[in-house]
Amino acid sequence: MSSLIEFAQTAENIAATSKRTIKALILGDYFNNLADEDLITSARFFAGYIFPLRDQRTVNIGGAALLTAITTIANIEKSKYQERLVKLGDPGDVVFEVLSNNLKSKQLPSTLTLHHLFSKLEQLAALFGTKSKTSLVTELLRLATPLEAKYIVKLLAGDLRIGLKEGAVEDALARLFKVPVAKVQWVNMLTGDIGETAILARHQRLEQAKMRLFHPIKFMLASPADDLTEVTKQMPQGFAVEDKYDGIRTQVHIGGGKGEDSLHGTIINDCRVALFSRTLDEITWTFRDLIEPLAQLISDDTDNGLILDGEIIPIRGAKILPFQELQKRLGRKQVKQELIEEVPVAFIAYDILYANNRVLIDEPLKERRTILDSLRLDTEKIKRGLHKQFDDISGLDAEFTAARARGNEGLMVKDLNSTYKPGRRGKEWLKIKRAIATLDVVITAAEVGTGKRARFLSDYTFAVRTSETEPTLLNIGKAYSGLTDAEVTEISNWCRAHTIQELEHGRVCIVEPKLVLEVTFDRVQPSSRHNSGFALRFPRILRIRTDKPVAEIDTLETVQSLAETEDLPSCT
Ligand code: AMP
């Protein structure tokens, strides 16, 4: 049985090099010496998961519980922990530092194995309540050396932060077992489990992999079109034009039979249905009014399951409601029946990834659409997205106006010959949105407001990412207007629960950078007020984007290009 310390040392070696090939070689060497069971566990761990994607279990441990566990073990004040967390930015690095200064932890022998850790994490997932979860983590950390604790905490926080993504694990497996990397990626997508993929690769059985439903497949994303000439340039052979619905991107899995207990989804009439958000989280229960209508889609011809890609939108009768209505149903633990009735929703399908026992992502859009059109998607709750095929852009202005009149955000233009590329933002899907400039940003700090908002954290500092490849956050602005009182209360409570450091006696809170906002503004200007070197003039919050992960917010490059379009004096 392989030790946890060996896993941790391998992770340290991987973190120490920036070269992708060397990372893959180190990982390959490590995997090579492991027994099958440890290969499964460590492949998942290195890909950033604890359980396979199709497994609905989560350890579900928050920053506050980690803080209690770590400060108890290290015997330090919470304020000291918070101060170091702001400095180091990663709870794993903090626990390593504080335990390295703790004589007892420093002298502990390494006794933990990967197997032991995994079974503790399974127990943790089965526990309810912060108190019992915190005590299990405390007991686990008590047995760990500083380096082991560092990686336990990183796994619990959901990111090893060693510059290694799931793709690098796929690379390492392909190199080690001398199989094509595309095959490993394909099997990982089919099974939703990098651990199972590793075993199939080791035993040269990748060909035997079968599609498993009920794990989210990464979503294909769109790029903004600068103007309509870009459409002509990218898709000279013709394209599809669809309405851009303003809702929550959702992937629907529907399958017959019961399957394993730990699978995602809900069973109804012998059929399992699961909904996944763009962040790959399960949201079936938030939209439980869609479960039965979706289950009814399984008919004789689609008996073997379906995966649909689309959007959940708020809609009453034929009238599409504003996105803000849908917001009321998001981010809640419980969605009450009254709310379900107050905000009716429908699922609009615009793509299909699996049907009739066939994985369709390598088929061109034209073919996928024909299959989608053959399904009965025309009920009150389940609809097909509008889709027209065009040869040139002359009709696009009229389509845009019509889409806006229907209550939608704009248009999506898609290359009819394009395959579905999971997780990729390419030029094969172009989005044409409203004319005003917006940025997707993440809240990094919140400040108490004034007047009737004096009891709330209602003034938000927010940041963009440095670039597509560099996730460091850079503050760009601060806004307080645009939200309803109910939204301010909700964000304020969220910020209190996710504070990592309090300043000025709690008047200002540095928060975990997780909550995404869409903001608009009059202009972008150079400024030394924020570390991005830019500031927004008259920023207003358009909406909270709980559906968007931080990894997809805008970057400094976008901000720079918005600033370049304006030749204005600085507002420092
Ligand atoms: P954005 O959120 O601005 O990056 O725009 C991309 C999003 O548009 C997707 O993730 C979907 O949620 C949404 N969307 C709405 N309608 C469509 C459509 N017809 N095809 C693809 N994406 C759509």
Side-chain angles (χ1 to χ4, degrees):
M1 235 171 267
S2 186
S3 66
L4 177 61
I5 196 72
E6 220 179 313
F7 170 86
Q9 270 154 355
T10 308
E12 289 284 279
N13 295 343
I14 290 172
T17 168
S18 58
K19 296 215 169 55
R20 198 181 150 116
T21 357
I22 303 197
K23 285 180 191 277
L25 286 175
I26 299 173
L27 198 54
D29 266 356
Y30 169 69
F31 283 159
N32 203 17
N33 295 318
L34 297 178
D36 280 2
E37 185 200 346
D38 290 329
L39 175 61
I40 296 177
T41 310
S42 65
R44 288 180 193 153
F45 284 1
F46 273 116
Y49 312 119
I50 291 173
F51 302 110
L53 268 180
R54 65 169 183 276
D55 196 319
Q56 60 171 239
R57 289 175 296 171
T58 60
V59 288
N60 199 11
I61 183 120
L66 276 182
L67 176 145
T68 310
I70 295 171
T71 49
T72 310
I73 300 291
N75 198 14
I76 55 165
E77 295 290 325
K78 290 193 170 171
S79 57
K80 164 95 178 160
Y81 173 86
Q82 285 165 333
E83 181 207 313
R84 297 310 295 155
L85 186 57
V86 171
K87 188 92 192 143
L88 301 174
D90 180 327
D93 291 336
V94 178
V95 79
F96 179 71
E97 184 184 270
V98 294
L99 290 188
S100 300
N101 293 330
N102 178 301
L103 209 59
K104 212 160 135 216
S105 305
K106 223 170 77 180
Q107 289 172 344
L108 270 178
S110 311
T111 53
L112 292 171
T113 60
L114 277 179
H115 175 82
H116 180 86
L117 174 60
F118 182 66
S119 65
K120 284 286 162 202
L121 297 176
E122 282 190 301
Q123 284 173 28
L124 187 61
L127 283 178
F128 290 103
T130 314
K131 217 165 151 206
S132 45
K133 280 177 180 281
T134 311
S135 83
L136 188 145
V137 173
T138 313
E139 287 322 305
L140 179 61
L141 291 180
R142 220 186 273 291
L143 303 174
T145 64
L147 190 61
E148 289 167 335
K150 173 173 173 174
Y151 283 93
I152 294 174
V153 168
K154 278 170 176 277
L155 276 169
L156 292 173
D159 195 347
L160 294 185
R161 299 210 202 177
I162 52 171
L164 189 90
K165 292 258 156 63
E166 189 165 9
V169 181
E170 291 168 336
D171 275 0
L173 293 172
R175 268 169 201 274
L176 175 64
F177 300 124
K178 304 198 171 39
V179 286
V181 67
K183 190 81 211 168
V184 174
Q185 290 164 345
W186 178 258
V187 169
N188 191 20
M189 193 265 305
L190 293 186
T191 58
D193 183 2
I194 189 79
E196 182 179 340
T197 307
I199 294 301
L200 292 173
R202 167 177 277 175
H203 298 288
Q204 301 295 323
R205 291 204 325 255
L206 288 171
E207 295 302 329
Q208 292 169 16
K210 290 227 165 47
M211 177 71 192
R212 287 169 180 267
L213 294 175
F214 304 107
H215 61 84
I217 293 175
K218 290 189 188 119
F219 290 83
M220 178 157 174
L221 300 168
S223 302
D226 294 335
D227 55 42
L228 294 186
T229 54
E230 187 156 8
V231 176
T232 319
K233 206 171 78 201
Q234 297 294 337
M235 304 167 199
Q237 322 238 336
F239 44 84
V241 175
E242 301 180 357
D243 276 24
K244 184 174 192 299
Y245 298 94
D246 202 3
I248 295 294
R249 182 79 179 268
T250 305
Q251 195 177 96
V252 170
H253 291 229
I254 317 169
K258 206 163 158 295
E260 301 153 41
D261 280 351
S262 62
L263 278 183
H264 286 284
T266 298
I267 309 226
I268 186 161
N269 307 336
D270 273 344
C271 177
R272 187 183 283 270
V273 175
L275 308 182
F276 298 101
S277 70
R278 176 167 162 160
T279 43
L280 310 187
D281 294 308
E282 190 186 339
I283 50 169
T284 318
W285 209 240
T286 308
F287 297 106
R288 59 181 190 273
D289 38 336
L290 293 175
I291 299 173
E292 198 169 349
L294 285 168
Q296 279 167 6
L297 287 180
I298 292 277
S299 62
D300 295 342
D301 49 324
T302 52
D303 207 15
N304 295 305
L306 282 176
I307 302 180
L308 302 172
D309 182 12
E311 201 90 357
I312 291 177
I313 56 162
I315 185 166
R316 182 171 292 110
K319 187 165 168 34
I320 296 177
L321 307 173
F323 180 83
Q324 280 71 7
E325 289 296 307
L326 192 59
Q327 199 77 56
K328 296 182 188 160
R329 284 182 64 164
L330 303 177
R332 295 172 187 274
K333 285 210 174 100
Q334 295 284 338
V335 178
K336 296 215 178 89
Q337 189 57 32
E338 298 95 82
L339 197 53
I340 289 186
E341 280 155 28
E342 186 192 327
V343 186
V345 296
F347 174 70
I348 313 280
Y350 43 71
D351 216 323
I352 184 160
L353 312 188
Y354 181 79
N356 306 325
N357 266 330
R358 266 173 75 208
V359 181
L360 302 171
I361 68 169
D362 277 349
E363 301 297 329
L365 173 62
K366 227 184 314 179
E367 169 71 13
R368 301 201 304 275
R369 184 70 199 193
T370 309
I371 298 171
L372 186 67
D373 285 342
S374 70
L375 301 178
R376 291 169 292 128
L377 300 175
D378 38 26
T379 64
E380 188 196 341
K381 291 278 183 197
I382 319 287
K383 301 177 191 301
R384 201 189 328 270
L386 291 173
H387 173 101
K388 291 187 187 167
Q389 302 189 357
F390 282 77
D391 290 331
D392 63 60
I393 57 169
S394 55
L396 281 192
D397 272 341
E399 286 300 319
F400 186 83
T401 314
R404 294 303 302 259
R406 284 189 283 267
N408 296 325
E409 216 185 348
L411 296 178
M412 295 289 294
V413 176
K414 299 179 178 175
D415 186 340
L416 282 164
N417 295 314
S418 60
T419 56
Y420 190 97
K421 307 214 168 47
R424 292 262 290 281
R425 186 189 296 284
K427 296 266 179 190
E428 290 162 320
W429 286 14
L430 293 173
K431 54 186 176 193
I432 304 178
K433 284 215 273 189
R434 60 189 142 219
I436 60 164
T438 63
L439 282 173
D440 291 328
V441 297
V442 67
I443 301 181
T444 53
E447 200 175 322
V448 171
T450 50
K452 70 175 177 152
R453 292 190 169 172
R455 282 185 305 115
F456 300 100
L457 290 166
S458 63
D459 215 353
Y460 310 109
T461 301
F462 45 80
V464 290
R465 288 178 298 147
T466 305
S467 69
E468 288 296 338
T469 49
E470 170 52 57
T472 306
L473 296 171
L474 299 169
N475 283 340
I476 170 129
K478 195 168 167 196
Y480 55 85
S481 66
L483 296 172
T484 62
D485 287 348
E487 285 170 329
V488 170
T489 313
E490 191 184 323
I491 305 194
S492 180
N493 291 341
W494 186 93
C495 287
R496 290 263 180 240
H498 294 83
T499 293
I500 48 184
Q501 191 186 20
E502 289 188 352
L503 304 172
E504 301 179 27
H505 307 288
R507 219 179 63 73
V508 179
C509 294
I510 311 286
V511 299
E512 292 173 41
K514 288 193 173 149
L515 195 62
V516 175
L517 298 178
E518 184 178 342
V519 295
T520 183
F521 41 86
D522 283 3
R523 58 178 71 125
V524 179
Q525 299 183 151
S527 160
S528 57
R529 195 183 306 154
H530 302 293
N531 60 356
S532 61
F534 290 97
L536 304 182
R537 211 179 127 137
F538 300 131
R540 298 173 294 283
I541 300 166
L542 282 181
R543 57 186 176 171
I544 312 168
R545 296 291 309 255
T546 34
D547 59 311
K548 206 159 209 181
V550 178
E552 288 177 18
I553 63 169
D554 279 303
T555 61
L556 189 62
E557 289 156 18
T558 314
V559 173
Q560 264 153 354
S561 67
L562 285 170
E564 275 158 19
T565 56
E566 313 175 15
D567 197 10
L568 292 158
S570 111
C571 62
T572 52

